[in-house]
Amino acid sequence: MAGVGEAASIVSFISLSIQLFDGCVKGFVLLSAAQALGSRGDVLRCQLEWEHYCLNEWATTVGLFKEPPELNVPYPPIVQSTLSNLEQLLTDAAKLKNDYGLDVTITDEEIRGILEPKRLFGRILEKARPQFINDTAKVYSRRNNPWKKLKWASVDEEKLRLLLKDIRYFNKRLFGLLHNVDQRLKSSEDNAIMRSIVSQTSDKTLLDVMAGPLNTVDAAIAASARLKHRGLLLDLVGSTSPRSVASSSQTTLVTPVKASTRKNLPVERLNKLRRDPEMLSGCEGHASSAISREIAHYDSQTIIVEWKNVERSLESKLKYRIAHVAALLAEMEDPSFHSLSCLGYLKAAKSGRYAYLFQPPATMSSGFSMRTLQDLLNQSSQRPSLNSRIHIAVNLTETMLQLHTSGWMHKCIRPDNLLFFKTKSADWNIGDSLPPAYLGGYEYARADNPLETTEAPSAQRTSDMYRHPLTVGRGRVPFNKSFDLYSLGCVLLELGFWAPLQTVLLHYLRRKASNPLEDISSSVLVPENDTEYYFMVGEKQSLIRETGLGTIHADLCHRMGFAYSQIVMTCLHAATSQVDSDTEDIFDSLGILEESLATLRGLAAAV
């Protein structure tokens, strides 16, 4: 009989939890639809919609929407008390007035059904998680009484903020009652959905009102949102390719903005970023186009200069973009971007070359030396640990994820743009660990906007090695995010073998010719002549795609494991998969980067 009693108790817990959950959903719907919210209404609705979504995802996780319903939590009684408190908070007009000084009146008008959201945040949320609106409609369909619309009689912004804070508290309490595995999964899903919303929107106002929801997810996503907002203010970022999340619709919700050549940023702001070329000293790049990066001095401060060549025919369009990109780079202060802080830009008087000026890392203020990943790969004495190499991969992948979320493409991911710094007296020839990696080389970066002017990158052999074949030559196609992933895959491949990409390709090419070879990491290989170079370039894709014993893929698995190798191959094949697809606009760089970053972080924690 004890078993029967326990079963009845469980059923009772589930039944009451569903009843309380339905009451909470009713409260969210009614408060979101309440009239006379005033100028801050969109902010309140955005936060209510997000908290409603979080509660709905919690209910899905614990099994309230299953048939028959379940309640998979360790402590059901605490769930009931928390849901009860949240329901009162959302539906009890007397409590709202007494505890928060918020006065709402119940109208005679009834909500006749759950309609698709009209506001942009709600629409994107519904597109990304269509089941959310379906679940809300299911709750509405099992109501016992009419849902009467509300109207705010008086609204106080501070008191509304306090109400939202308490709603968040109870939602967090429910989240804390999930099993640990479910907590991690739900956090990951919440981050993915918020990143998707930031990536899809081209609405400055929406990013403004999203401040509350952004505070509930990974801080790096909020940093991406701030950068996206700045890009929109500069009229640089338009619509981005729509993102597929789970079973989301592929319909984009935003339209491209016209690429602008106007001075979108106020003149005084541009003047603050433009630096005096006469104050730049100790450099040679202003006179030599062969120099792309160097350490120099500006106004007695040691800095890093990245030079940029601009064709005269494009200068009228690109000179304003350079100023705006400098402003954008100056905003990339969050650690998740793993980039140097930009001081501004200048134009050399005689040569006409442009330059971005960067501060060294804060820890290097007393003097430093700089190396690129390309330098280190060519340095036989440098043998970094597996842990150190994976951390470089984490930093680079996270930066790419942040840039793509913000609506930007880097276009020059390669080893000579990954920077490392040590104090001036430190020895680069000893030790198995490397300092943190910073991504540079933003001279060709642009917004993911099809109307933006595209610059052809430098046609150097070493640079072409890291570009997808479709982006090289006269018949090259417009750049898109999948080509950034290809370049990322090339660099991750180098980290795995700890050898330059050219060395890796030549090693396996010559192995096919049965030439005796030393270990791949023992020496740097170069083509014997132009014939071998062009043959290597022609065979590059075939070498990357091959599987089986003695291939790049098999040996990378042996060195780095299957998980790391899978990341590399996914990045290298992303552009090919997109081109071969018959469906347009389905490429999801964020999904690939999010999954890759999570895997890399797991590997970093395990080694």
Side-chain angles (χ1 to χ4, degrees):
M1 294 298 291
V4 174
E6 288 178 3
S9 177
I10 292 172
V11 171
S12 175
F13 271 127
I14 295 173
S15 178
L16 182 55
S17 296
I18 292 175
Q19 180 182 335
L20 292 170
F21 169 75
D22 287 4
C24 293
V25 172
K26 174 184 176 182
F28 275 121
V29 171
L30 294 180
L31 287 176
S32 297
Q35 303 168 12
L37 262 176
S39 59
R40 298 288 291 174
D42 284 342
V43 176
L44 175 63
R45 291 188 183 97
C46 177
Q47 292 181 256
L48 285 171
E49 286 169 346
W50 177 250
E51 295 298 340
H52 178 192
Y53 164 78
C54 290
L55 178 66
N56 190 83
E57 292 299 290
W58 172 86
T60 301
T61 301
V62 300
L64 291 186
F65 284 109
K66 288 184 177 180
E67 292 295 343
E70 300 172 0
L71 185 60
N72 296 313
V73 292
Y75 309 109
I78 301 179
V79 166
Q80 288 189 359
S81 65
T82 305
L83 284 173
S84 177
N85 287 327
L86 182 58
E87 183 196 29
Q88 283 187 338
L89 200 64
L90 293 165
T91 61
D92 191 333
K95 184 175 181 64
L96 288 173
K97 186 170 184 177
N98 295 333
D99 293 358
Y100 300 93
L102 299 172
D103 196 359
V104 293
T105 57
I106 302 174
T107 70
D108 293 330
E109 187 178 357
E110 182 181 349
I111 289 182
R112 296 293 181 181
I114 303 300
L115 305 176
E116 288 190 2
K118 296 180 180 179
R119 291 169 297 279
L120 188 56
F121 178 81
R123 294 207 312 272
I124 297 179
L125 189 60
E126 190 271 331
K127 290 293 182 183
R129 286 287 192 271
Q131 191 58 41
F132 173 44
I133 195 81
N134 295 335
D135 290 341
T136 304
K138 185 182 296 184
V139 171
Y140 175 81
S141 69
R142 60 193 185 208
R143 71 196 184 284
N144 295 320
N145 299 302
W147 288 9
K148 297 293 185 69
K149 289 185 177 180
L150 303 178
K151 182 176 181 180
W152 293 96
S154 63
V155 180
D156 182 287
E157 191 172 325
E158 274 301 317
K159 293 170 181 175
L160 279 175
R161 193 175 292 117
L162 179 60
L163 171 64
L164 289 166
K165 182 179 178 182
D166 288 349
I167 291 172
R168 170 103 291 257
Y169 166 79
F170 287 118
N171 258 348
K172 285 180 68 176
R173 191 175 180 187
L174 289 170
F175 172 82
L177 295 172
L178 295 174
H179 296 286
N180 289 336
V181 173
D182 290 332
Q183 287 187 34
R184 289 194 294 270
L185 182 60
K186 187 177 182 303
S187 290
S188 176
E189 290 174 346
D190 287 352
N191 287 335
I193 194 69
M194 188 57 70
R195 193 177 284 280
S196 173
I197 293 173
V198 171
S199 175
Q200 288 189 51
T201 184
S202 62
D203 188 297
K204 295 186 286 290
T205 304
L206 175 59
L207 290 173
D208 283 332
V209 304
M210 282 171 55
L214 282 168
N215 286 334
T216 68
V217 294
D218 186 352
I221 301 172
S224 283
R226 290 192 296 271
L227 188 64
K228 181 73 172 281
H229 188 270
R230 176 51 58 93
L232 291 168
L233 287 176
L234 299 179
D235 199 15
L236 285 172
V237 182
S239 74
T240 58
S241 301
R243 178 169 179 216
S244 169
V245 182
S247 58
S248 68
S249 166
Q250 302 300 336
T251 305
T252 185
L253 300 173
V254 289
T255 56
V257 297
K258 185 177 180 180
S260 175
T261 60
R262 297 178 289 106
K263 298 179 182 179
N264 307 305
L265 202 60
V267 174
E268 60 272 16
R269 290 288 305 281
L270 287 173
N271 289 339
K272 287 182 179 180
L273 291 165
R274 181 151 191 167
R275 303 302 177 185
D276 183 357
E278 296 298 323
M279 299 183 72
L280 184 65
S281 62
C283 63
E284 299 177 1
H286 63 288
S288 172
S289 60
I291 297 175
S292 59
R293 181 185 297 110
E294 60 185 329
I295 297 174
H297 293 88
Y298 183 86
D299 192 20
S300 303
Q301 181 182 356
T302 306
I303 62 166
I304 295 97
V305 182
E306 291 195 346
W307 293 98
K308 176 180 176 63
N309 296 318
V310 176
E311 295 180 19
R312 290 189 179 277
S313 60
L314 294 175
E315 186 173 9
S316 61
K317 293 182 178 181
L318 295 180
K319 63 182 180 180
Y320 296 120
R321 182 201 280 178
I322 291 169
H324 295 149
V325 169
L328 211 65
L329 291 172
E331 294 293 319
M332 290 168 49
E333 297 179 346
D334 191 87
S336 59
F337 285 100
H338 304 285
S339 299
L340 300 175
S341 177
C342 183
L343 295 168
Y345 73 101
L346 57 77
K347 179 182 179 181
K350 293 183 179 179
S351 65
R353 297 188 84 195
Y354 284 84
Y356 294 111
L357 313 183
F358 295 92
Q359 287 182 318
T363 55
M364 300 289 115
S365 57
S366 60
F368 62 91
S369 60
M370 177 178 67
R371 297 287 188 276
T372 68
L373 178 61
Q374 180 174 279
D375 296 330
L376 300 177
L377 291 172
N378 289 323
Q379 184 175 312
S380 59
S381 60
Q382 186 64 249
R383 305 285 287 176
S385 65
L386 175 62
N387 185 280
S388 187
R389 286 181 284 149
I390 290 177
H391 276 291
I392 296 171
V394 168
N395 288 3
L396 180 57
T397 305
E398 182 174 35
T399 301
M400 292 307 306
L401 175 60
Q402 290 292 86
L403 287 173
H404 283 196
T405 302
S406 305
W408 281 82
M409 301 182 295
H410 188 277
K411 295 186 66 180
C412 286
I413 302 297
R414 53 180 196 256
D416 59 316
N417 283 329
L418 264 181
L419 312 177
F420 302 84
F421 298 86
K422 284 188 176 183
T423 58
K424 205 159 191 175
S425 59
D427 190 348
W428 287 94
N429 293 312
I430 60 174
D432 60 358
S433 64
L434 291 172
Y438 295 86
L439 181 62
Y442 285 92
E443 66 265 32
Y444 295 107
R446 70 168 176 85
D448 183 17
N449 182 348
L451 300 180
E452 273 286 314
T453 302
T454 296
E455 299 173 80
S458 60
Q460 297 179 358
R461 283 185 173 184
T462 53
S463 301
D464 284 348
M465 291 295 300
Y466 301 89
R467 299 189 188 114
H468 192 279
L470 292 174
T471 67
V472 179
R474 292 183 178 180
R476 64 180 180 270
V477 302
F479 200 91
N480 61 60
K481 289 177 178 176
S482 70
F483 299 137
D484 261 350
L485 290 193
Y486 180 85
S487 301
L488 172 64
C490 289
V491 176
L492 295 182
L493 181 68
E494 290 183 318
L495 290 172
F497 282 99
W498 194 248
L501 179 61
Q502 182 172 261
T503 294
V504 175
L505 296 175
L506 285 173
H507 178 91
Y508 287 90
L509 198 63
R510 292 173 183 177
R511 175 185 283 182
K512 285 188 173 183
S514 301
N515 292 336
L517 291 173
E518 300 176 0
D519 182 73
I520 191 172
S521 61
S522 62
S523 60
V524 174
L525 303 179
V526 295
E528 294 178 353
N529 48 44
D530 284 351
T531 300
E532 186 176 37
Y533 169 77
Y534 288 113
F535 182 59
M536 174 190 66
V537 171
E539 291 294 306
K540 179 175 69 167
Q541 292 302 99
S542 175
L543 290 169
I544 288 171
R545 284 194 297 265
E546 287 177 347
T547 58
L549 188 64
T551 62
I552 289 176
H553 181 267
D555 289 350
L556 183 63
C557 284
H558 172 70
R559 290 168 179 264
M560 301 296 291
F562 177 79
Y564 185 94
S565 302
Q566 189 63 33
I567 291 170
V568 174
M569 294 304 157
T570 298
C571 290
L572 290 173
H573 299 322
T576 304
S577 300
Q578 183 188 20
V579 171
D580 291 343
S581 174
D582 294 330
T583 308
E584 296 182 356
D585 293 332
I586 64 171
F587 181 68
D588 177 18
S589 75
L590 297 192
I592 293 174
L593 289 169
E594 283 175 326
E595 186 173 342
S596 298
L597 181 58
T599 301
L600 288 169
R601 282 175 170 164
L603 293 174
V607 296

